[in-house]
Amino acid sequence: MVFQYCQLRNLSCDTDSVRTCGQGIDGNIRVFQQDIFGSSSILPNSSAYSKIGRLFSIADGITLPDTSVIYTFENPPTNNRTMYLVNVAGGIRRFQESVLLTMDVEIYKTTVLEVARELTPINRNLGSTVVSTLNVSEASDVEISTEYLSRTTHPSGEFSLDFYGNIIVPPGNTLAVEIRRIFETGSGSHFNTITWFEI
């Protein structure tokens, strides 16, 4: 915060205003704003990053015959941005006579060995033209790690995992998000959304 001292006279709440400002995440100095009732509010990090066009997501789904998918987020070594994972969410659509045992979600550091298809991240600020600097893909082969950042199981077939940006992928690293569905009988399809910001 920056305060400017006035040596000429004392400031008064009746006749003067004091501007409080701070440096934003994009390096610009901004005034802290209040609503018409004089209340200040703090936006969640992801909302603030979306405002400057740095919040991205992929929304994808898989159906038969696949039972799992591995999404990879490669941050190139020469990149000047770092990835911060915000949320991994998904759910299943069961076919008739299907009995689901569980949905598993595993997140780990990896190296991509083979790409099945490339994915295009979407900027979650619909008015922004900023594009993601990551190489995002569905991988058909990766180095499986035994050092997991997160492993969860979801018998209901639904999940929403909030990481609030605390899984960090610096340049020169690749993150894998593997989502698997396991049926006792039958099968189904599932849809997934992964959200992150880049600073």
Side-chain angles (χ1 to χ4, degrees), residues 149-171:
L149 298 167
S150 175
R151 296 184 82 182
T152 55
T153 187
H154 309 273
S156 69
E158 300 174 354
F159 56 90
S160 182
L161 307 173
D162 290 316
F163 296 101
Y164 306 103
N166 62 30
I167 292 182
I168 300 171
V169 187

Side-chain angles (χ1 to χ4, degrees), residues 126-144:
L126 303 185
S128 176
T129 58
V130 176
V131 296
S132 172
T133 58
L134 303 181
N135 299 320
V136 182
S137 63
E138 177 191 341
S140 52
D141 192 14
V142 299
E143 287 186 358
I144 301 297

Side-chain angles (χ1 to χ4, degrees), residues 93-127:
R93 177 187 294 155
R94 304 180 198 192
F95 297 154
Q96 289 183 346
E97 308 300 325
S98 293
V99 177
L100 176 71
L101 290 180
T102 185
M103 291 282 289
D104 294 335
V105 181
E106 298 178 338
I107 301 173
Y108 48 89
K109 180 179 178 180
T110 192
T111 298
V112 178
L113 302 177
E114 187 175 349
V115 172
R117 61 190 172 110
E118 295 181 353
L119 301 171
T120 302
I122 302 300
N123 192 314
R124 293 180 73 92
N125 179 340
L126 303 185

Side-chain angles (χ1 to χ4, degrees), residues 16 20 23 34 46 54 69 74 82 102 106 137 181 198:
D16 300 291
T20 307
Q23 183 171 338
Q34 292 183 325
S46 54
R54 293 294 186 91
V69 62
E74 179 188 1
T82 296
T102 185
E106 298 178 338
S137 63
R181 62 179 191 262
E198 300 174 22

